[in-house]
Amino acid sequence: MTPELLSPAGSPEALRAAVQNGAGAVYLGWGDFNARRNAKNFSDGEFADAVSYCHLRGARIFLTLNTLVTDRELPQALEAARTACRLGVDAVLVQDWGLFDVLRRALPDLPLHASTQMSVFTSGGAGELARDGCERIVLARECSAEDVAGIRAACGAEIEVFVHGALCMCYSGQCAMSALVGGRSGNRGTCAQPCRLPYGLDEPAKKACPLSLKDNCLAGQVPALSDLGVDCLKLEGRMKRPEYVAVVTGIYARLLAEHRGPTAAETAELEEAFSRSGFTDAYWQGRRGPEMFGTRPENAPEPKELFARARATYEKDDRRTVPVRFRCSIPAGESCTLTASDQDGHTVTVAGPVPEAARTRPLTAGEVADRLGKTGGTAFRCESAEVTVGENLSLPASAVNALRRDALAALAAARTAVPLRREEPVPPLPESDCAAETPALTVSLADLRQLSPALLAEEPARVYLPLEQLEALRSLPESGTEWCATLPRVWRDRDEDDLRRRLAHAQALGVTGALLGNIGHLSLTRDTDLRLYGDYGLNVYNARSLAYLRDKGLASACLSFELRFAQIRDLRKVLPAEALVYGCLPLMITENCLVQNRTGCRLSRGGPAVPAQAPCREPHTLRDRTGTAFPLLPAYGHRTEIQNSRPLWLADRTDWKRLGLAYARLRFTTESPAGCAAILRAYRTGAPAPALFTRGLYERGVE
């Protein structure tokens, strides 16, 4: 089956451009809970009109509610989904686990799609969501053809792939750079795109933009995507102009219909419409490297001729019309009738006046058919007209015209009819109250060398150790702490045998807990007897998310560090909650190794931990235009994690101890073993802040 083509609609004009150029569906934002809040988006009236406009012309329409929402915002987000459901929207895209859980229970007939910001890139993660009733999974843009094929074969839900448009440097849903540096959260729909700015690796920033990826273009892979059984091809661009949407949608619609790659002229038009130093399909090919990166000049000229042709496709008459078959009967002595049918199975019948005996020339079937064919100004076109007229009868032209208008109006009503859907009450939160008077201190380490007797002497309640480094140990130190393995935040299906082997070794050492930062970790750990704890990568923003993870078997969960203290305090702790209280917070996790891109080291992607002798294991920083240095850490699979420039410091405060948290975590990254122990001791004693520090987002919050 041909995949659905899903186009962006950042405005009513862009929606028309998409539909008139062949989109099978469009996605749009309405209200305050979508990941492109700075797009023009839709008013209430425009949204209702958009649903009718799309359904009349045979296109589906999806609402994006794909941001994190607070407890106070959840009722508004649910009401937006309810309204959309009543208007007949075809699906809702979500990121927030709590909103996802509420919607699947309160609106059980409304299809839900997992946004790419849920960070799904394995069969286990996709399967988890499919079992929870998710109709479609939008996979991470970093997935290769091999990854997609494996997930498609293993998952019962539909699979959607981004095929054209901007690529984020960080895995979607895992980026905090815009939030921590500028207070504008990508998880809340206001990303300021700091990845497009200049940076230097271990040197001042000049002109290089090592975080700015070229736009993705899989136009040449359309036949392969279709053959893989991918259900939907998604075009990015809700911030783009309607003309851009028209150009890109029109080309991909042709490629899908004709099962082919683009011509040279079509490739040139795609690039002329918008590109950043050309395009890349490296992720799809299973590659990465410096050739993937590019920028766009600030004053790039508008392609006036191309965009003028694009506007002509949607500004005037309907190019996308619905074929209709008419069957008209005009018998003697009875009311005339007209039946109209479309290709989607809708059939309507309307009646008109009783014909009179002809006084001069009798009415012919051909005359009636000609009048039925005059559907100009509507969203329909006459495909055929079968007419039966009794002998020597007369019927005014106005009556035939009225029949046609009534039939098309009835057919339009049938095509835009809202399906019957159940609305259930929102189930109450669990009665359990897991709030604590004061939190126990936990620590996470980036390197086993940070594990020292002095650190353990401070008696942390838990120690989180990187799973991929535990293999170097033959035993764990004797301590009263709980030993937990931190699972890699990003991996692939092909890595899972390796990870399961490492988990078995960790358990043999005496590790009793696992820290999960992705929904796909559940399938890796469910058959173990490890206690499961949620990490910050799960983006827990409300009590409903805690309840969802509680139902998944988690024993505690780390809250998002984008929440303010007041929001954490008011969040009902239906599951023991943890928060980060110290450390250089993670800004990005990237598929590309930034050091490899600069030095050219040839370590393979994926697989085990980065070897100790690799260049990216040495200390490196990324510097912005102000000279601010962001430490780089190697991540599993030869990826990179960018850290904030200053550590979060709360040791001299006491308010974080009164938020109901069960655990407060000190996140150690580049600190020395002695430094780790000293900082944990400082949190025991309430030491003053160092010269350079940050309070994070706990006071100022995010947009």
Side-chain angles (χ1 to χ4, degrees):
M1 190 174 73
T2 302
E4 179 176 67
L5 179 61
L6 178 59
S7 293
S11 67
E13 295 83 3
L15 181 139
R16 289 196 301 274
V19 172
Q20 292 300 326
N21 280 277
V26 298
Y27 61 103
L28 56 82
W30 169 63
D32 296 328
F33 307 108
N34 73 91
R36 291 294 182 271
R37 281 165 54 194
N38 292 329
K40 183 178 178 182
N41 289 317
F42 288 72
S43 67
D44 292 359
E46 288 170 340
F47 179 56
D49 291 342
V51 176
S52 296
Y53 181 89
C54 289
H55 287 171
L56 180 58
R57 290 160 180 81
R60 300 205 296 165
I61 186 165
F62 305 150
L63 175 65
T64 57
L65 292 180
N66 55 339
T67 61
L68 301 180
V69 293
T70 65
D71 284 306
R72 289 187 177 184
E73 293 168 338
L74 259 173
Q76 299 169 256
L78 173 58
E79 191 56 36
R82 276 205 182 104
T83 300
C85 186
R86 292 166 187 164
L87 288 172
V89 75
D90 295 285
V92 170
L93 283 88
V94 291
Q95 172 191 11
D96 188 279
W97 301 112
L99 180 59
F100 170 67
D101 196 39
V102 166
L103 292 182
R104 72 190 182 112
R105 297 175 188 276
L107 300 170
D109 301 322
L110 176 64
L112 299 178
H113 294 180
S115 167
T116 185
Q117 292 191 231
M118 279 187 170
S119 307
V120 179
F121 40 72
T122 64
S123 299
E128 197 72 35
L129 286 164
R131 287 188 292 274
D132 283 344
C134 198
E135 178 190 79
R136 178 180 290 181
I137 316 295
V138 188
L139 296 182
R141 280 169 262 200
E142 292 83 355
C143 287
S144 67
E146 175 192 352
D147 301 328
V148 173
I151 296 170
R152 169 68 284 172
C155 179
E158 296 178 0
I159 296 300
E160 180 174 307
V161 173
F162 270 94
V163 297
H164 196 93
L167 287 173
C168 297
M169 182 60 178
C170 181
Y171 273 78
S172 185
Q174 301 303 307
C175 186
M177 193 169 196
S178 179
L180 283 165
V181 173
R184 295 173 58 184
S185 169
N187 285 318
R188 299 275 287 165
T190 59
C191 179
Q193 297 189 328
C195 53
R196 302 300 179 189
L197 299 174
Y199 297 91
L201 183 68
D202 300 324
E203 64 182 11
K206 297 176 183 176
K207 292 184 178 181
C209 296
L211 304 183
S212 181
L213 287 160
K214 295 177 181 177
D215 276 20
N216 193 35
C217 179
L218 300 187
Q221 306 298 331
V222 165
L225 285 153
S226 300
D227 295 344
L228 271 180
V230 170
D231 299 279
C232 180
L233 309 187
K234 187 173 203 167
L235 310 175
E236 182 274 339
R238 276 195 289 149
M239 300 291 286
K240 301 281 201 321
R241 294 176 53 154
E243 296 92 337
Y244 167 89
V245 174
V247 171
V248 177
T249 300
I251 290 174
Y252 275 86
R254 291 197 298 274
L255 302 185
L256 277 169
E258 299 166 19
H259 196 71
R260 63 172 174 85
T263 64
E266 287 168 332
T267 299
E269 286 190 355
L270 288 172
E271 190 163 345
E272 189 180 2
F274 191 94
S275 74
R276 290 183 171 88
S277 309
F279 294 119
T280 182
D281 66 352
Y283 283 151
W284 177 258
Q285 300 288 357
R287 302 193 313 266
R288 54 189 176 181
E291 71 281 355
M292 294 183 64
F293 293 78
T295 58
R296 184 171 177 82
E298 290 186 10
N299 299 314
E302 176 188 312
K304 293 183 179 179
E305 291 185 10
L306 177 63
F307 279 5
R309 294 197 302 272
R311 283 191 294 273
T313 65
Y314 62 87
E315 280 191 337
K316 296 181 180 179
D317 297 334
D318 257 312
R319 298 196 325 159
R320 182 167 180 167
T321 51
V322 179
V324 179
R325 299 180 299 277
F326 288 119
R327 192 171 66 254
C328 184
S329 176
I330 304 177
E334 298 180 27
S335 297
C336 57
T337 59
L338 178 61
T339 299
S341 303
D342 65 21
Q343 58 190 2
D344 299 315
H346 302 103
T347 298
V348 297
T349 300
V350 296
V354 177
E356 298 178 352
R359 296 181 181 178
T360 54
R361 187 171 62 82
L363 182 68
T364 67
E367 290 173 330
V368 175
D370 286 344
R371 292 208 168 272
L372 294 178
K374 295 180 178 180
T375 58
T378 74
F380 299 98
R381 70 178 185 276
C382 178
E383 184 178 65
S384 64
E386 178 186 326
V387 181
T388 303
V389 181
E391 292 185 5
N392 202 36
L393 296 176
S394 174
L395 190 67
S398 59
V400 178
N401 292 340
L403 270 178
R404 184 191 66 238
R405 288 193 299 268
D406 291 348
L408 294 181
L411 190 59
R415 292 180 64 82
T416 58
V418 177
L420 292 175
R421 288 168 171 163
R422 292 169 293 168
E423 294 190 22
E424 305 291 347
V426 178
L429 283 166
E431 291 295 329
S432 58
D433 181 4
C434 301
E437 283 193 23
T438 56
L441 293 177
T442 66
V443 298
S444 65
L445 307 181
D447 194 303
L448 291 182
R449 289 173 293 187
Q450 295 170 318
L451 183 62
S452 66
L455 181 75
L456 294 177
E458 295 298 325
E459 300 181 340
R462 290 180 194 158
V463 175
Y464 301 107
L465 301 171
L467 174 65
E468 61 268 33
Q469 295 187 34
L470 283 169
E471 199 165 41
L473 297 181
R474 293 294 168 260
S475 64
L476 287 168
E478 289 191 12
S479 171
T481 191
E482 179 184 9
W483 299 103
C484 300
T486 304
L487 273 65
R489 196 149 49 123
V490 177
W491 76 104
R492 291 294 189 272
D493 283 357
R494 61 180 172 272
D495 301 322
E496 294 199 353
D497 287 345
D498 172 66
L499 294 176
R500 288 190 174 93
R501 179 181 58 79
R502 291 175 184 274
L503 277 169
H505 176 73
Q507 287 186 269
L509 289 175
V511 168
T512 58
L515 189 60
L516 318 184
N518 184 276
I519 195 70
H521 283 148
L522 287 168
S523 63
L524 282 170
T525 55
R526 210 172 246 132
D527 293 337
T528 70
D529 56 3
L530 294 166
R531 287 174 63 82
L532 307 181
Y533 306 116
D535 205 0
Y536 55 81
L538 290 170
N539 289 325
V540 176
Y541 221 72
N542 52 62
R544 289 284 174 181
S545 292
L546 286 178
Y548 177 76
L549 296 175
R550 178 179 183 266
D551 290 344
K552 292 289 182 186
L554 269 63
S556 74
C558 185
L559 303 178
S560 167
F561 50 78
E562 293 188 15
L563 289 167
R564 298 193 310 274
F565 275 157
Q567 292 168 324
I568 294 175
R569 179 197 64 216
D570 296 341
L571 191 152
R572 184 171 165 188
K573 315 300 189 298
V574 298
L575 184 70
E578 183 175 31
L580 299 181
V581 297
Y582 169 79
C584 292
L585 298 176
L587 301 183
M588 286 188 180
I589 183 163
T590 71
E591 183 66 13
N592 272 268
C593 171
L594 300 183
V595 179
Q596 180 186 32
N597 284 352
R598 176 65 184 274
T599 65
C601 78
R602 291 288 180 251
L603 292 174
S604 62
R605 62 177 295 170
V610 180
Q613 72 276 14
C616 43
R617 294 286 293 182
E618 300 167 1
H620 292 282
T621 60
L622 195 69
R623 292 183 178 272
D624 67 12
R625 294 172 298 177
T626 70
T628 302
F630 303 95
L632 303 181
L633 291 183
Y636 183 87
H638 204 191
R639 300 175 175 95
T640 296
E641 192 173 81
I642 306 173
Q643 316 302 314
N644 199 14
S645 58
R646 298 184 179 190
L648 170 70
W649 185 274
L650 299 175
D652 56 333
R653 302 270 294 262
T654 59
D655 42 3
W656 57 272
K657 299 179 181 180
R658 300 191 296 271
L659 303 177
L661 295 168
Y663 304 98
R665 189 194 311 176
L666 284 68
R667 181 176 185 266
F668 296 120
T669 52
T670 60
E671 293 84 357
S672 67
C676 294
I679 292 166
L680 179 54
R681 192 176 309 114
Y683 270 73
R684 297 280 190 211
T685 61
L692 297 176
F693 71 96
T694 177
R695 301 297 191 189
L697 297 166
Y698 289 136
E699 292 180 326
R700 60 189 173 107
V702 293
E703 289 184 29

